[in-house]
Amino acid sequence: MSEPILKMRRVGKTHGKGAQRVDAIIDIDLDVAPGEFVAITGRSGSGKTTLLNIAGALDEPTTGNVWVEGRDLGDLSRKELAQLRRISVGYVFQQFNLLPALTAAENVAMPLELDGMRPSDARLLAEKALAEVGLGGAGHRYPDQLSGGEQQRVAIARGLVGPRKLLLADEPTGALDEATGEAILQLLRDRCEAGASALMVTHEPAFAAYADRVVRLRDGKIEEISVRRPVPSSTADLIS
Amino acid sequence: MGIKEGLLALLATEPMYGYQLKSELENATGNGVDLNIGQVYSTLQRMERDGLVEPGVEDEEGRVVYSITDQGRATLARWGDRPESLAQGRDELSIKVLLSIHTGALDPNRVIEVQRRETMGLLQHYVQLRSSSEDQDLAWQLHLDRLIYNAEAELRWLDRVEERLSTVALKATASAPTYEQQEVKR
Ligand SMILES: Nc1ncnc2c1ncn2[C@@H]1O[C@H](COP(=O)(O)OP(=O)(O)OP(=O)(O)O)[C@@H](O)[C@H]1O
Ligand SMILES: [Mg+2]
């Protein structure tokens, strides 16, 4: 098997100090292979966001190690980490984190421009990513001129824009209706089939079911729930 | 659904042969109704006896075209107007979960865990089938949607049971003095 894009070993995170201490995740082992789509489920407070933040180098683990594209995050300099966050990893946050003073297209183009891409090229890719999430033509609008679901789709476009290898999405479908949510999940799948890898947090079973593998966090520990099986040639057995 | 109502609905559009009825019914329901031709003929005979359909003359290949009667249309309309009762939740899974909680003879969390794996696997499978289905195959897609919603409902219920069980367990431990309270007393 090829080297995983994301590898976590014995990763733990304790938030806070003293009586306020919370062991958010404990001893997590998790691999995401190239092209693989993994969904994380679990109750509120089970440590999903904590896990995702650590996977994306946005937060440091208290114990254990994380490798992204084979590089141990603990060995990287601040500058190298910043570069990894800008170039290799795409984030879709639980809050949309759009900059209110920038238009939708500018928000999406921003990570590319930070990478040093020419603004006009970044702008073209941004428009393409917006079209993919069904917002072609809305690029000139500001976040406060968009509905909640539209803002969420802008945030998704920003996470997916450009050649990201690892997509990290925290409840990307929260503000979306079912049909739009399904379209976004299909988009994530397509990205994975084209070679990217994705780790997505969701509490919607029907959205988690789009993933190749569904894992569940409980009391800070991880358990595998289900792995996608190949589609059988005959579907007759399903419906008797 | 009885096969009867399905046949009536099809015959209300035009008269048909037995074989035609079988394949049309399968198409219309996305293969949701599993039929053999013998069932179709025996149902047609009963319906003829009850005055819901009438046979035409046999053609040279021995096929008989059936058409719907006024009484058949009235029966179909009554079926359309009648709400179906929701599954009552007295299925094997509910019983297993409720019994495990009530008796303690089985670990309910284990029952939940096993079922969650099974149903999530099935849900993944349905979603995959839906994504790979042809756009024009509406009946099949709607059938899959229904299966997806059912699986989803079951998973939500399992989550709920687990959540309730853990709050019950928490309350039980909270009513006993906690470790910290004991420390303070000392
Ligand atoms: N910065 C922090 N300081 C202290 N505790 C924190 C911090 N961040 C998270 N926690 C705690 O860690 C645990 C896990 O939080 P996390 O945000 O990872 O949960 P989650 O699974 O994403 O929940 P949700 O589904 O509600 O988003 C919770 O008990 C939370 O209160
Ligand atoms: Mg969270």
Side-chain angles (χ1 to χ4, degrees):
Chain A
M1 213 185 109
S2 52
E3 177 82 1
I5 289 283
L6 172 69
K7 180 164 125 183
M8 303 179 95
R9 285 295 174 275
R10 312 211 56 160
V11 169
K13 178 74 186 182
T14 305
H15 292 296
K17 288 208 176 70
Q20 310 298 317
R21 276 169 57 110
V22 180
D23 292 322
I25 52 174
I26 304 161
D27 261 358
I28 300 285
D29 288 344
L30 179 67
D31 285 350
V32 181
E36 195 180 27
F37 183 3
V38 177
I40 307 176
T41 62
R43 284 159 62 179
S44 182
S46 60
K48 306 181 296 295
T49 297
T50 302
L51 175 66
L52 214 63
N53 285 344
I54 291 174
L58 298 172
D59 198 358
E60 280 182 27
T62 314
T63 61
N65 296 74
V66 181
W67 292 261
V68 174
E69 297 184 278
R71 293 190 295 170
D72 188 336
L73 298 186
D75 294 342
L76 299 187
S77 68
R78 212 174 262 255
K79 203 173 146 201
E80 288 169 319
L81 282 175
Q83 202 175 22
L84 176 109
R85 285 194 287 256
R86 286 200 317 262
I87 297 174
S88 300
V89 185
Y91 305 89
V92 180
F93 298 100
Q94 200 165 6
Q95 302 83 19
F96 315 141
N97 291 344
L98 297 178
L99 295 176
L102 300 184
T103 65
E106 286 163 354
N107 264 287
V108 176
M110 193 178 55
L112 298 176
E113 290 186 40
L114 287 175
D115 284 353
M117 191 183 280
R118 284 197 4 229
S120 56
D121 293 344
R123 199 46 195 263
L124 275 178
L125 282 179
E127 292 292 353
K128 191 167 150 251
L130 282 171
E132 276 190 298
V133 298
L135 286 180
H140 63 282
R141 290 208 246 158
Y142 289 89
D144 66 359
Q145 298 170 328
L146 296 165
S147 75
E150 287 165 345
Q151 291 177 44
Q152 182 149 32
R153 282 185 276 160
V154 174
I156 291 164
R158 184 185 54 189
L160 299 186
V161 76
R164 313 280 145 195
K165 296 217 180 72
L166 177 62
L167 307 171
L168 301 174
D170 199 348
E171 296 283 3
T173 52
L176 303 180
D177 61 49
E178 204 180 338
T180 316
E182 283 166 6
I184 294 299
L185 266 300
Q186 193 56 51
L187 190 64
L188 280 171
R189 266 218 78 80
D190 294 345
R191 286 300 176 97
C192 290
E193 263 143 45
S197 306
L199 187 60
M200 173 188 71
V201 166
T202 181
H203 64 265
E204 299 278 346
F207 290 148
Y210 276 80
D212 297 306
R213 207 143 57 86
V214 181
V215 300
R216 188 157 185 275
L217 279 177
R218 179 167 38 184
D219 304 328
K221 303 213 181 67
I222 204 164
E223 55 189 22
E224 184 162 292
I225 301 284
S226 177
V227 178
R228 213 177 219 234
R229 292 167 292 177
V231 179
S233 48
S234 158
T235 53
D237 56 325
L238 261 180
I239 41 190
S240 50
Chain B
M1 181 195 75
I3 301 170
K4 181 175 90 177
E5 287 82 4
L7 297 182
L8 285 173
L10 289 171
L11 290 175
T13 65
E14 57 173 336
M16 290 184 210
Y17 304 113
Y19 259 106
Q20 212 179 346
L21 284 164
K22 170 177 150 57
S23 65
E24 285 289 317
L25 193 55
E26 285 166 353
N27 279 343
T29 56
N31 288 325
V33 179
D34 204 11
L35 282 179
N36 65 53
I37 189 68
Q39 281 172 293
V40 173
Y41 284 123
S42 60
T43 309
L44 282 170
Q45 271 164 19
R46 253 178 291 125
M47 290 164 73
E48 182 187 342
R49 181 198 66 202
D50 297 340
L52 304 178
V53 297
E54 52 194 18
V57 285
E58 199 172 310
D59 69 10
E60 55 271 29
E61 289 166 55
R63 298 180 302 190
V64 178
V65 166
Y66 283 86
S67 40
I68 192 168
T69 63
D70 286 346
Q71 205 183 325
R73 285 184 195 280
T75 302
L76 175 65
R78 275 199 302 278
W79 179 61
D81 285 340
R82 190 180 72 214
E84 298 299 329
S85 58
L86 196 65
Q88 293 298 304
R90 292 286 189 269
D91 52 291
E92 189 89 12
L93 173 63
S94 319
I95 290 168
K96 204 194 281 184
V97 168
L98 299 179
L99 270 179
S100 68
I101 294 169
H102 185 79
T103 64
L106 299 167
D107 176 2
N109 287 308
R110 174 81 194 140
V111 172
I112 291 166
E113 191 185 316
V114 167
Q115 189 65 37
R116 182 184 280 130
R117 287 168 191 273
E118 172 70 17
T119 307
M120 182 49 90
L122 212 53
L123 186 55
Q124 276 180 304
H125 193 64
Y126 295 150
V127 164
Q128 200 174 0
L129 284 174
R130 189 175 57 185
S131 307
S132 60
S133 68
E134 302 292 330
D135 274 352
Q136 63 270 25
D137 203 349
L138 182 63
W140 174 232
Q141 288 181 346
L142 291 175
H143 180 58
L144 286 171
D145 281 342
R146 182 67 190 259
L147 294 175
I148 286 168
Y149 286 130
N150 287 347
E152 220 183 338
E154 187 176 293
L155 287 165
R156 286 184 194 288
W157 182 69
L158 292 171
D159 283 349
R160 170 52 67 103
V161 174
E162 190 180 66
E163 192 182 308
R164 295 243 176 162
L165 284 176
S166 70
T167 36
V168 170
L170 270 182
K171 276 186 193 146
T173 43
S175 57
T178 61
Y179 178 73
E180 277 100 314
Q181 285 168 336
Q182 287 173 346
E183 286 287 279
V184 170
K185 267 188 225 150
R186 251 192 258 163

